[in-house]
Amino acid sequence: MPTLIHYPLCPFSRAIRLAAAECELKLSLEEKKPWAWAADFLEINPAGTLPLYRDEDGGMLCGSYPISEYLAETGVDETGDARAFSFFPGDEAERGEVRRLVDWFHRKFDSEVTAYLIGEKVIRRFDSAMGGAPNMEMVRAGQANLRYHLGYIGHLTEERTWLGGEHLSFADLAAAAHLSCIDYLGDVPWGEAEEAKQWYARIKSRPSFRSLLADRVPGLKPPDSYADPDF
Amino acid sequence: MPTLIHYPLCPFSRAIRLAAAECELKLSLEEKKPWAWAADFLEINPAGTLPLYRDEDGGMLCGSYPISEYLAETGVDETGDARAFSFFPGDEAERGEVRRLVDWFHRKFDSEVTAYLIGEKVIRRFDSAMGGAPNMEMVRAGQANLRYHLGYIGHLTEERTWLGGEHLSFADLAAAAHLSCIDYLGDVPWGEAEEAKQWYARIKSRPSFRSLLADRVPGLKPPDSYADPDF
């Protein structure tokens, strides 16, 4: 069985966990704290980022981008033995749109929301080198940016079944992975974002989401709504 | 002929220009200033990033990631009519390594070097909303980080012909695209980075690089060494 080296509140790791579950690809999970950069870890991935994917022969892929494209490439068999889940479904234009949105969430949402909130409320809390109390200015910046992104998700779902188009794609999983980390902190103002909430409820109720909802980080309890399908 | 909407000193645009030239794919270039976000541009790409790729039917791809994966997918014909240049050559492990490095340069190098130097010396200079004089603290941070990245390029080329392995790949083009922007500013300390310089000299002498070396941004003259193969 391949192994995913991950951190429970790492959105990039969560996106791969969701995708693997949608593909019915079983992964053994190995936890790694992203702030505890050991020399052996940096030797494998000098960027120090998660997740890492180790296949059964010991081959290693580093980071969300190589792993997702690898799983996408190997997931669809040309003889027609395609997996039920396609990372980038549709024609050229649709695949391009899905990748645009993956980049939106993994780069733009990450730097405007996740990095602030997970950085301040999780990494800073546990990384003794950073000091414990969150910088509330950063937290408020992340929360303000989040409202804009929830609006964008709502806008996309007004005309589409899923974020990238008619089919569930890696764009939905990347977006849900980031939001689920923020939701663990209780920081998503769902009451102000009805369309985004409806889309998230559909993702949250999928079997692929179960393992994320069972995650617990010691010392950091999620709100009850985190694992509740009727949040 | 497809069109690339680009900015001459945008490294993401440059990487696609280099790749298209290696593929012998002719692109019509349309310049767009990344700081002048017009409503019609944001309607196409709400992230406001470059480049955009418009195919002959008007179909649009937004951003380096969708465009590079699209060109990579369409570049190799399954009947064997493969293009001379492969974005992600080799087996799974090699392709994963190339993508790791593309992410390294397009994300890590970009945020640690390019964003500081192009941001302060180009965008701030021309974007009237930002005010003209570069913040020298940011410039020095970018220059310091650049030394680390030059060392990493040197380290990779000690054991490999190209950055990702035995073959020229999109990793080399992404790295060279960022470095060439910094080189236009005269900010690369080549004298301190012999291995990286040798690798860059090999890329710089390729026909695909010519159009980049001919770029001139009005009001910002590159050093003579910029277009000199014996820099």
Side-chain angles (χ1 to χ4, degrees):
Chain A
M1 190 186 306
T3 301
L4 193 77
I5 301 165
H6 81 122
Y7 179 68
L9 292 181
C10 163
F12 302 97
S13 304
R14 285 189 161 212
I16 298 295
R17 287 166 66 196
L18 286 172
E22 290 289 343
C23 292
E24 297 183 7
L25 170 70
K26 284 205 166 51
L27 291 176
S28 159
L29 292 178
E30 188 178 309
E31 191 176 325
K32 173 87 200 156
K33 293 181 173 54
W35 57 89
W37 289 7
D40 60 340
F41 178 59
L42 289 179
E43 204 166 303
I44 295 166
N45 184 15
T49 51
L50 290 172
L52 308 185
Y53 177 96
R54 186 172 53 225
D55 68 22
E56 282 146 323
D57 303 322
M60 195 72 92
L61 290 170
C62 302
S64 172
Y65 169 43
I67 298 169
S68 59
E69 292 291 336
Y70 164 72
L71 292 179
E73 278 175 4
T74 51
V76 179
D77 184 322
E78 281 166 18
T79 65
D81 262 319
R83 287 180 184 148
F85 174 72
S86 168
F87 279 68
F88 310 106
D91 64 15
E92 287 163 10
E94 292 167 286
R95 294 163 70 80
E97 175 65 358
V98 170
R99 287 196 174 100
R100 178 183 78 80
L101 290 169
V102 170
D103 208 43
W104 179 283
F105 289 101
H106 271 356
R107 186 185 280 265
K108 190 172 168 68
F109 188 103
D110 183 63
S111 66
E112 293 174 354
V113 182
T114 316
Y116 286 120
L117 296 174
I118 296 292
E120 291 302 321
K121 292 190 167 185
V122 182
I123 312 287
R124 190 182 290 277
R125 183 190 183 106
F126 294 120
D127 182 358
S128 56
M130 282 182 77
N135 176 333
M136 288 312 291
E137 207 176 315
M138 305 278 262
V139 168
R140 280 189 293 270
Q143 287 166 339
N145 294 338
L146 174 57
R147 287 184 162 77
Y148 158 76
H149 282 277
L150 288 171
Y152 188 53
I153 290 172
H155 166 73
L156 289 171
T157 57
E158 269 174 29
E159 296 182 349
R160 299 173 177 182
T161 311
W162 297 100
L163 296 189
E166 284 314 295
H167 302 283
L168 179 77
S169 74
F170 194 52
D172 297 284
L173 306 186
H178 282 269
L179 270 175
S180 68
C181 290
I182 311 301
D183 199 37
Y184 188 99
L185 304 173
D187 270 337
V188 185
W190 291 119
E192 303 171 23
E194 189 51 38
E195 290 87 358
K197 184 180 177 179
Q198 285 179 17
W199 160 83
Y200 189 68
R202 280 189 285 142
I203 300 256
K204 193 175 178 180
S205 63
R206 296 180 74 86
S208 63
F209 225 83
R210 276 179 210 151
S211 108
L212 271 58
L213 298 181
D215 281 342
R216 290 298 177 272
V217 172
L220 201 63
K221 194 178 169 295
D224 292 340
S225 62
Y226 172 70
D228 184 353
D230 298 316
F231 57 107
Chain B
M1 189 188 303
T3 301
L4 193 77
I5 300 166
H6 81 122
Y7 179 66
L9 292 180
C10 162
F12 302 96
S13 303
R14 285 190 161 211
I16 298 295
R17 287 167 65 197
L18 285 172
E22 290 289 342
C23 292
E24 297 184 8
L25 169 70
K26 284 205 165 50
L27 291 176
S28 160
L29 292 178
E30 189 178 308
E31 192 175 325
K32 173 86 200 158
K33 294 181 172 57
W35 58 89
W37 289 8
D40 60 340
F41 179 59
L42 289 180
E43 204 167 301
I44 296 167
N45 184 15
T49 51
L50 290 172
L52 309 183
Y53 177 96
R54 186 171 56 224
D55 69 21
E56 282 145 324
D57 304 322
M60 195 72 92
L61 291 169
C62 300
S64 173
Y65 170 43
I67 298 170
S68 58
E69 292 292 336
Y70 164 72
L71 292 179
E73 278 174 5
T74 51
V76 179
D77 184 322
E78 283 168 15
T79 65
D81 262 319
R83 287 182 184 146
F85 173 71
S86 167
F87 280 68
F88 309 107
D91 64 13
E92 285 163 10
E94 293 168 287
R95 293 163 71 80
E97 175 66 356
V98 169
R99 287 196 173 101
R100 179 184 76 81
L101 290 168
V102 169
D103 208 43
W104 179 283
F105 290 100
H106 272 356
R107 185 184 280 263
K108 190 173 167 68
F109 187 104
D110 183 63
S111 66
E112 294 175 353
V113 181
T114 315
Y116 286 122
L117 296 174
I118 295 292
E120 291 302 319
K121 292 191 168 187
V122 182
I123 312 287
R124 190 182 289 280
R125 182 189 185 105
F126 294 120
D127 182 357
S128 56
M130 282 183 78
N135 177 332
M136 289 311 293
E137 207 175 315
M138 305 278 261
V139 168
R140 279 189 293 272
Q143 287 166 338
N145 293 338
L146 173 57
R147 287 183 163 76
Y148 158 75
H149 282 278
L150 289 171
Y152 187 54
I153 291 173
H155 166 74
L156 289 171
T157 57
E158 270 173 30
E159 295 182 349
R160 298 172 177 185
T161 310
W162 297 100
L163 296 188
E166 283 312 296
H167 301 281
L168 179 77
S169 74
F170 194 54
D172 297 283
L173 307 187
H178 282 269
L179 271 176
S180 69
C181 289
I182 312 300
D183 200 36
Y184 188 99
L185 304 173
D187 270 337
V188 186
W190 292 119
E192 303 171 24
E194 189 52 37
E195 289 86 357
K197 184 182 176 178
Q198 285 179 19
W199 161 83
Y200 188 68
R202 280 188 286 140
I203 299 258
K204 194 176 178 179
S205 64
R206 295 179 75 85
S208 64
F209 225 84
R210 277 181 208 149
S211 107
L212 272 58
L213 299 181
D215 281 342
R216 290 297 176 276
V217 172
L220 202 65
K221 196 180 168 294
D224 292 341
S225 62
Y226 172 69
D228 183 354
D230 298 315
F231 55 107

